[in-house]
Amino acid sequence: MPTTKLRTRVSRRTAVALATMSVVAAVAGAAPSVASAVSDSSSVTRHAVVQTQSPQSAATAPNLRVKAANGVTYQYRRFGNPSAGSVPLIFLQHYRGTLDNWDPKLIDTIAAKREVILVDNVGVGGSTGTTPSTIQQMSLDAIDFIDALKLPRYDVFGFSLGGQVAQEVALRRPWQVRRVVLAGTGPQGGIDQRASDPKVLGSVLADNPGPADFLFLFFKNTASSQAAGTEFLQRLGQRTTDHDAPASLQTRDAQLTAMSEWGIPDKSKLVRLNALSSPRWSQTGTVTS
């Protein structure tokens, strides 16, 4: 294959890690305890009522808030079907993504069997603070959120940028993280992780990306793939109230800087993944421990 064509394919694949919507596969497991949370209008009582009286979904789960030791108030959604002795699955979102950008089909499929926690990291969507420009600081911010919920054990699902943050969380908290699912992401220092195609960057960096940008970045230019993309966008419309705030341009720029630094080729960084406990790689690039 000519080098130019290979680079174009690599750029498009990398751009999926820079896009603003989520499309990935599900993960099996189970989930746990109720943490102290604060919602928009009440306190932990509302959270407990939501958990026990009516099943929630990605379209109906309320926005909750908790203030962490770093002074940030994080916005998140917590719902699903926890069971005794299980742990929650924490979802870390992609570039420019917020709580509203998770595919309900993915989230609800997993929530049917376990408890899920979706979160806006610092400065993103409804969370306060300023989005940092390094993956390392984003991971520390995610840990502050997790500590605020007082979770002793948990699984992490990271997509794209969220997958980079998930790797750092797992490396920093090996005694807490049980399993890690990495989707559409890559290791620090890995090759071909920096988008350069002008058309791709045009969609990735748009101030107000629209449906055409999402379909271009996430779906092939075939009738079947575009139809699947349209269905995905329609599913995002299932939530009709209590929407999250969109990611700001400050978040866009800080996250892009963080991902660009992460993607600087450096083979010496790859050895860090050996510190993950007994990693097992699947054909889809998922790591579990």
Side-chain angles (χ1 to χ4, degrees), residues 2 64 140 164 196 201 216 222 224 230 264-265 277 280 286:
L64 306 172
L140 294 173
Q164 297 168 357
S196 58
L201 287 172
F216 166 68
T222 65
S224 59
T230 299
I264 297 173
S277 176
R280 299 187 301 277
T286 295

Side-chain angles (χ1 to χ4, degrees), residues 92 121 135 138-139 142 160-170 262:
L92 301 178
N121 211 341
I135 300 299
M138 291 176 189
S139 71
S160 185
L161 168 69
Q164 297 168 357
V165 176
Q167 292 172 52
E168 293 295 306
V169 171
W262 180 270

